[in-house]
Amino acid sequence: MPAAILAFFESYRDAFNRLDGRAVTAHYGLPAMIANQHSAGLFVEMDALIANNASLCHHYAQAGFERADFCENVCIHQGDDFFLADLCWTIQVKDQPAQQFNTTYQLAKRIDGGDGSSRWKIEHVTAYSERQFWNEETK
């Protein structure tokens, strides 16, 4: 994984580890699609995406989330402006065994902010093996 992409995902992970929904959302471009086995959402407004990620962080906190980390499964360079990353996430939850799931991210370089520079942004997420521990009874 290139250093810039690794730094992007480390920043994304750190936002989740702070349970900061706004910081998580800063890693997304619009429109963005987030899909898992239970639902799929297409976000075309930043406020809706912020609300979604803030709600997810709230659910994580209520379920005893302690921290997340990731490792690379597969990465595919798609020219200079697109990148596909499949990551294995490990979630530490209080008083539960660590949980692992896999997620694929489609990234694109997009102009972001007034300085005209391009930054990596998430366009599509597929959490294809995630157990929603925040919806399960805790031990």
Side-chain angles (χ1 to χ4, degrees):
M1 181 180 301
I5 302 288
L6 179 60
F8 174 85
F9 281 116
E10 288 172 341
S11 174
Y12 184 66
R13 175 209 55 212
D14 293 347
F16 268 113
N17 285 342
R18 292 189 311 273
L19 296 173
D20 184 342
R22 284 189 176 275
V24 169
T25 302
H27 293 82
Y28 286 81
L30 292 177
M33 179 174 263
I34 301 173
N36 62 41
Q37 65 268 30
H38 303 287
S39 66
L42 176 63
F43 297 89
V44 295
E45 295 179 4
M46 193 57 70
D47 287 343
L49 187 56
I50 291 168
N52 178 78
N53 287 326
S55 176
L56 179 61
C57 287
H58 174 76
H59 290 303
Y60 272 29
Q62 295 298 309
F65 173 91
E66 292 179 336
R67 71 169 283 103
D69 211 345
F70 67 90
C71 65
E72 173 185 337
N73 286 330
V74 176
C75 289
I76 301 172
H77 295 264
Q78 297 176 314
D80 293 334
D81 296 326
F82 299 95
F83 194 87
L84 186 73
D86 188 87
L87 304 180
C88 177
W89 287 94
T90 301
I91 303 292
Q92 300 292 330
V93 180
K94 185 178 180 170
D95 300 327
Q96 293 185 35
Q99 300 176 32
Q100 290 189 319
F101 62 92
N102 299 294
T103 304
T104 302
Y105 299 86
Q106 177 68 53
L107 305 181
K109 276 191 183 171
R110 296 292 180 237
I111 303 297
D112 185 41
D115 64 0
S117 62
S118 62
R119 292 178 178 80
W120 289 107
K121 295 290 184 173
I122 298 169
E123 288 191 336
H124 185 247
V125 176
T126 304
Y128 61 91
S129 67
E130 183 176 18
R131 243 182 77 211
Q132 293 187 348
F133 64 86
W134 61 90
N135 286 331
E136 299 170 4
E137 290 186 38
T138 55
K139 296 178 182 176

